[in-house]
Amino acid sequence: MPFSNKLTRLSLAIAMSTTALFSYAQSTLPIADIIVLNADVRTVDPSKPRAQSFAIQDGKFIAVGSEFYVKKLQNEKTKVIDAKGHTVIPGLTDAHTHFLGGTDLAFGVDLFNIADRAQWLEIIAKKDKELPDGAWIVGGRWDVTLTEQQDLPTRHELDAVVPDRPIALLDSDFHSMWINTAAMKLLNITAQTESPTGGVIVKDAKTGEPTGILKENAMELVTQSAIYKKAEPSKTAALRNIIQYFNSLGVTSVHDMWSEDIKAYQELLATEPFSMRVWFGLMADSSDSQATPEVFQRYANQRDKMNSLSKKQEKIWQQGPQFRLGYIKYFADGVLSTYTAALNEAYSDHTSLHGTPIHSQDKLNKLVKLAHAQNFPVAVHAIGDKSVDMVMKAFSLSPRQTTLPDRIEHIEVVETQTVPKFSQYNIVASMQPNHAIQGSYIPSRLGEPRLERSYAWQTLLSSGAKLVLGSDWPTAVEIPLLQIGDAVLRERDGKTWHGENALSFDEALYAYTQAPADIAGWGNQIGSISVGKWADFAIIDGTVSEPLPQDIRNWKIEQTWFAGNKVFQK
């Protein structure tokens, strides 16, 4: 055969092979169920921080980047979403909530941000008429710092509008409870009842009779009583409503902290899929009788049972992690507003007070070790610098037996020399930006010298600490865009307030997405818009720019998606 013919045949063969390979390559490209185009995608993925579009198949991201490639993954069945240039972010994780605690607001009273005490009583009296016999009036979120009359309310005020139905209302910080005489009689709380360790039954200085205010651990006289627990309605329906509300804010994951009674989550897992990922922290009973290896073994057994149920359902539902009972939560002190946060130096506006820690150092050390012995990481509420130091010491003295890090919640004041220890001991700083902005009492409580080491988000982050952000709902407003705006703008009364501790938008977003996913052990499944992760994301109703718009705190979420399913549309 002439050489020219051989060359022709070889060229033809190569051409046919190339065509076949090209056709094969085209046919093996995945077909997306959904593609999002024309977007300002803030991925929170350091390998590709910004993108124009992404594609989803079977609930997971399969491509993130330019529209040129993403468009190749669509066919006539692919749903195409035009983001209209708006910013798209990963589904948000609120790293500090009390989801179960908030269910009481669904069937109780909500006094949040109401400054008129007479209006509190009107709302309570109205709820009394709506409830069946035997039901308690619950809920609360009352805040005396907003009212003209700054002293704590009394049972007599409640008795005047509801004399015969028990009432138990948590304050806005969840560190005090307001009860009426009917509740006191049911629970046998009298002048002779002693305040429990780490708590106070407030009593009238003249008569010695309880005023109706229970502080810190004294609230357990109500919440841990069989009478109160028996009267509580099912929380499952309320929990579903709360999930829908959080979805509307772009939240697809929460770190929830509440008591051992988690029946609502058991019921939720036993029904149908829900659009939230819950990393649950059990607020352990820290009384001496319950701080034993046997009790913590029971907690571990409960964890294993609940997590096994969740894993079983996740295999059926195929939408990623849903629930893990993951850690133990303790309290080391109270709050600045009521002078119960433990400070190393006296309060600036009450120089006889430092705030008393809830536990001794030895007791705190014991509690941390008990949790670690059962492979629980630990979260501890510590607002004052004294309590932060005590918790840090307890962590440093306990042999670590968990793969996930311990954490300190709030850290509203921290000693400068304590800051590097967060990185040294791998302790997570879990903080809530709006607390710094909302509390009008903060400057007077702390005084100017302490303010530069208060709400020190940037200082801790710069030191190498892991930082996660959240809301502390329902003790504070949820709205993540407000929290992120407060973290970045750090404005009080229209002026920047200690801006040296502000965060950038990217830093705040990371602390609301990838960082909390990592400390829950879910960082390779959620937290960023990355190929292979579950498609949790939210579309904001505008385009985020630099510097951050002053009105970002008022922006809304347009859509929220959970594992490739739309769960909220504005």
Side-chain angles (χ1 to χ4, degrees):
M1 179 183 295
F3 177 76
S4 59
N5 289 346
K6 288 182 179 180
L7 187 60
T8 300
R9 294 177 105 183
L10 179 60
S11 299
L12 183 61
I14 291 172
M16 291 175 64
S17 298
T18 302
T19 302
L21 283 170
F22 181 72
S23 299
Y24 176 75
Q26 278 194 317
S27 67
T28 58
L29 282 178
I31 298 300
D33 301 319
I34 303 158
I35 61 173
V36 175
L37 305 174
N38 187 24
D40 167 40
V41 186
R42 307 296 185 102
T43 69
V44 193
D45 183 338
S47 68
K48 193 172 190 60
R50 303 290 286 272
Q52 298 172 309
S53 61
F54 53 83
I56 299 165
Q57 183 188 68
D58 296 332
K60 292 185 176 182
F61 298 113
I62 59 168
V64 180
S66 69
E67 294 185 356
F68 174 77
Y69 176 72
V70 168
K71 285 181 176 179
K72 294 180 182 296
L73 308 183
Q74 72 179 103
N75 65 12
E76 67 279 359
K77 294 182 180 180
T78 301
K79 180 179 180 63
V80 179
I81 298 171
D82 180 359
K84 299 178 182 177
H86 290 184
T87 297
V88 181
I89 58 177
L92 296 164
T93 295
D94 188 322
H96 188 119
T97 71
H98 306 287
F99 240 44
L100 283 182
T103 56
D104 283 351
L105 298 173
F107 40 73
V109 297
D110 189 359
L111 310 177
F112 187 69
N113 257 354
I114 298 175
D116 184 353
R117 289 168 77 134
Q119 191 177 348
W120 295 357
L121 298 175
E122 290 173 10
I123 293 170
I124 292 164
K126 181 175 182 293
K127 178 58 66 173
D128 175 51
K129 295 178 173 61
E130 298 170 355
L131 293 175
D133 292 343
W136 287 54
I137 297 179
V138 295
R141 298 212 290 179
W142 50 273
D143 184 354
V144 295
T145 68
L146 301 176
T147 66
E148 184 178 351
Q149 184 183 346
Q150 293 278 303
D151 56 321
L152 291 168
T154 70
R155 60 187 169 100
H156 303 298
E157 293 172 73
L158 293 174
D159 295 345
V161 292
V162 184
D164 52 2
R165 181 192 299 279
I167 302 175
L169 304 177
L170 288 162
D171 75 340
S172 61
D173 288 317
F174 277 38
H175 286 264
S176 298
M177 180 178 280
W178 180 22
I179 62 176
N180 65 347
T181 302
M184 284 175 48
K185 287 180 177 178
L186 269 178
L187 301 172
N188 196 29
I189 298 173
T190 68
Q192 286 70 47
T193 307
E194 294 185 3
S195 295
T197 302
V200 177
I201 301 172
V202 179
K203 295 179 180 179
D204 186 277
K206 294 180 180 178
T207 67
E209 292 291 328
T211 66
I213 295 294
L214 308 175
K215 292 186 176 182
E216 305 299 344
N217 286 0
M219 296 186 293
E220 293 179 0
L221 296 172
V222 177
T223 60
Q224 298 302 314
S225 70
I227 293 172
Y228 178 81
K229 288 182 177 181
K230 185 178 180 180
E232 278 192 303
S234 171
K235 296 184 175 184
T236 308
L239 198 56
R240 285 193 175 279
N241 290 337
I242 292 170
I243 287 172
Q244 291 173 4
Y245 169 63
F246 270 62
N247 285 164
S248 75
L249 302 171
V251 178
T252 54
S253 180
V254 294
H255 295 189
D256 185 15
M257 308 169 194
W258 203 242
S259 66
E260 189 180 354
D261 183 14
I262 53 176
K263 183 181 178 182
Y265 279 122
Q266 289 176 309
E267 292 175 351
L268 205 59
L269 286 166
T271 55
E272 68 260 12
F274 52 96
S275 52
M276 190 61 64
R277 311 188 191 283
V278 181
W279 175 240
F280 188 82
L282 192 154
M283 289 165 56
D285 185 343
S286 57
S287 62
D288 289 338
S289 64
Q290 296 301 300
T292 67
E294 293 75 20
V295 170
F296 277 76
Q297 180 63 60
R298 189 185 77 222
Y299 292 157
N301 293 342
Q302 185 180 23
R303 170 193 63 197
D304 296 344
K305 179 180 178 181
M306 284 291 294
N307 293 353
S308 177
L309 171 61
S310 186
K311 289 175 184 177
K312 178 183 176 182
Q313 295 296 71
E314 287 163 16
K315 287 181 179 178
I316 299 169
W317 296 341
Q318 290 295 304
Q319 56 180 25
Q322 293 277 181
F323 177 92
R324 294 291 184 276
L325 200 169
Y327 59 106
I328 295 291
K329 165 78 182 299
Y330 297 123
F331 290 86
D333 66 353
V335 291
L336 290 172
S337 60
T338 58
Y339 302 96
T340 53
L343 303 178
N344 285 319
E345 303 292 335
Y347 281 86
S348 294
D349 59 353
H350 207 316
T351 55
S352 65
L353 294 178
H354 287 70
T356 304
I358 290 175
H359 304 295
S360 68
Q361 185 68 62
D362 286 344
K363 177 67 175 290
L364 198 55
N365 297 347
K366 177 184 177 181
L367 290 171
V368 170
K369 288 178 180 178
L370 280 168
H372 282 176
Q374 293 295 340
N375 200 33
F376 281 109
V378 175
V380 186
H381 166 118
I383 282 180
D385 47 14
K386 181 179 180 64
S387 59
V388 171
D389 287 345
M390 290 177 67
V391 175
M392 190 66 74
K393 184 174 182 180
F395 284 151
S396 71
L397 294 173
S398 176
R400 291 294 308 283
Q401 298 192 24
T402 65
T403 55
L404 298 174
D406 295 316
R407 47 197 280 181
I408 301 180
E409 309 298 318
H410 308 306
I411 320 166
E412 295 187 12
V413 195
V414 61
E415 294 283 6
T416 302
Q417 62 267 30
T418 304
V419 169
K421 294 180 182 179
F422 281 83
S423 177
Q424 179 183 348
Y425 298 125
N426 191 30
I427 306 303
V428 175
S430 172
M431 306 176 81
Q432 300 75 43
N434 188 246
H435 282 180
I437 308 305
Q438 190 66 25
S440 59
Y441 50 81
I442 292 168
S444 61
R445 295 287 190 276
L446 297 178
E448 190 61 35
R450 273 185 293 214
L451 292 181
E452 68 177 23
R453 53 187 178 87
S454 302
Y455 309 92
W457 315 315
Q458 185 59 249
T459 295
L460 285 159
L461 190 62
S462 297
S463 75
K466 292 185 179 73
L467 174 69
V468 299
L469 298 180
S471 66
D472 202 13
W473 185 88
T475 74
V477 65
E478 169 50 21
I479 313 179
L481 291 179
L482 179 144
Q483 298 284 352
I484 290 172
D486 284 342
V488 178
L489 300 171
R490 203 173 165 109
E491 287 185 351
R492 288 173 66 93
D493 302 321
K495 297 179 181 178
T496 302
W497 185 70
H498 288 276
E500 67 274 8
N501 268 309
L503 300 174
S504 71
F505 176 76
D506 289 335
E507 289 168 339
L509 185 59
Y510 190 91
Y512 236 109
T513 53
Q514 188 63 57
D518 288 341
I519 69 170
W522 293 339
N524 63 340
Q525 299 184 73
I526 61 171
S528 65
I529 297 177
S530 305
V531 172
K533 291 190 177 184
W534 290 100
D536 300 352
F537 65 94
I539 302 176
I540 300 175
D541 68 350
T543 306
V544 173
S545 60
E546 298 292 344
L548 197 65
Q550 292 292 313
D551 63 346
I552 186 69
R553 289 167 288 194
N554 298 321
W555 288 19
K556 305 296 182 185
I557 297 296
E558 264 183 10
Q559 296 179 19
T560 304
W561 292 70
F562 181 86
N565 293 301
K566 185 162 63 174
V567 293
F568 170 74
Q569 172 70 58
K570 189 174 77 169

